[in-house]
Amino acid sequence: MQQMLPDIPLKNSVDVSGPDAKGAWSCKFFAFNTEILLQTYRNDLPEKTVREGFSAAVERCRTFEYLLSRHLESSDVSRINAASGEKVPIAAETYRVLEASLRYCEASGGVFDITMGAVCRLWDFMEKTVPDQASLIQALAHVNWRALKLASTENGFWAQLDDPAASIDVGGTAKGFIADDLRALLAGQGFSNAIINLGGNVVTFGSKPDGKPWTIGIRNPADPSTLIGAVPIRQGSVVTSGLYERCFEKDGIHYHHILDPATGYPVATDIASATIVSANSIDGDGYSTTVFALGSQGAIDFAERTPGIEALLILDDGTIVQSSGISGFIKL
């Protein structure tokens, strides 16, 4: 049974600082179960504008969390899951996230499925809980992204799960969608540049004061406290997912958090870390789960034939494999 929270953890913990020696302003806060970092080189932007922009970004994140968190009873996602198959009115933002999520489910051939909620709830990576086979089989019977129906009418937006026992979880797409949304918000607030880091989902726009590209570090899966390399990017998104993010070992077996919709167990893969470089962060989020399930060769083939994305993979043995469009990777 998932834990339902009364409110967002650390909601009022926001730290704004700057400018530092390089003229950068930073905003740190906690959302979506991760630390968020926003940075900008203010150039001629007044301090008041910087602070107001950061404040607007924090509030935007709170809006999304109240709508999309499966741990908040009043969220749109929780209400859809609790509706027993009935139609539920939802916010426009929720509709857009769910609509985008279904596109990635279809593009992946079902390897990525947002109706894995019933399966995900059986696993507890903090308590090292491995579900029994019977429970997984029962939950897997309710995994089918086609069960989610959406409607947009002049009276509002609606969602419905055809299967009353199905359950959605947008953890595989929400942060990418939100990162792109924050980029548009800050640009609309007058920011000429920014780097937005939602715990592995990094989006940039504008340029650094010296005109050089932003450099986005890639963690070493063998030692996540260190970097194995970096990807230079002028404007766009770098999303990295690693099997080290949520994992545990029990009875000599290693379990990680990327689950297979066919079995309910962690996907079998030779990939330890996958980085997707794209114009939009939601593409990186939506496709990162898919590439793990495909394995290294299938993942590179997928990236080569999918417009707008490039992939950089770190394999179990430390080998680095990348699609043809990746350029300038810096090995540390």
Side-chain angles (χ1 to χ4, degrees), residues 91-314:
E93 293 92 340
T94 306
Y95 176 88
R96 290 166 59 208
V97 171
L98 294 178
E99 183 182 44
S101 298
L102 291 179
R103 290 199 299 269
Y104 294 103
C105 293
E106 183 172 17
S108 74
V111 171
F112 171 71
D113 194 312
I114 64 166
T115 60
M116 281 284 284
V119 174
C120 293
R121 284 201 299 270
L122 296 176
W123 291 85
D124 190 324
F125 286 85
M126 293 293 292
E127 299 295 328
K128 299 185 178 182
T129 300
V130 179
D132 61 79
Q133 185 71 32
S135 297
L136 279 176
I137 290 172
Q138 185 177 15
L140 285 168
H142 305 290
V143 174
N144 182 355
W145 59 271
R146 293 180 178 85
L148 178 62
K149 308 299 182 185
L150 303 175
S152 171
T153 72
E154 60 182 13
N155 295 320
F157 301 91
W158 306 83
Q160 181 178 21
L161 284 166
D162 279 353
D163 179 353
S167 179
I168 60 173
D169 182 338
V170 294
T173 50
K175 284 202 296 184
F177 185 96
I178 294 163
D180 293 332
D181 186 270
L182 294 181
R183 173 172 57 185
L185 183 151
L186 292 178
Q189 292 279 329
F191 284 49
S192 60
N193 63 73
I195 181 167
I196 300 159
N197 188 340
L198 273 64
N201 291 65
V202 180
V203 172
T204 68
F205 70 91
S207 61
K208 296 169 69 175
D210 59 8
K212 293 181 180 179
W214 306 92
T215 304
I216 312 302
I218 308 298
R219 293 190 184 278
N220 182 354
D223 181 6
S225 66
T226 66
L227 299 179
I228 197 170
V231 175
I233 185 170
R234 291 196 177 276
Q235 185 154 309
S237 168
V238 177
V239 174
T240 299
S241 295
L243 301 189
Y244 53 82
E245 292 172 340
R246 281 189 295 152
C247 60
F248 64 89
E249 190 167 310
K250 188 172 186 179
D251 299 329
I253 301 175
H254 183 79
Y255 298 96
H256 61 77
H257 72 289
I258 298 181
L259 305 178
D260 187 339
T263 68
Y265 286 102
V267 295
T269 184
D270 62 340
I271 302 171
S273 170
T275 296
I276 303 294
V277 180
S278 55
N280 297 310
S281 189
I282 192 170
D283 286 337
D285 231 3
Y287 289 131
S288 61
T289 300
T290 301
V291 301
F292 275 104
L294 293 174
S296 56
Q297 188 55 59
I300 294 299
D301 292 343
F302 180 82
E304 296 285 6
R305 68 174 184 267
T306 302
I309 70 168
E310 300 294 342
L312 187 147
L313 314 175
I314 303 170

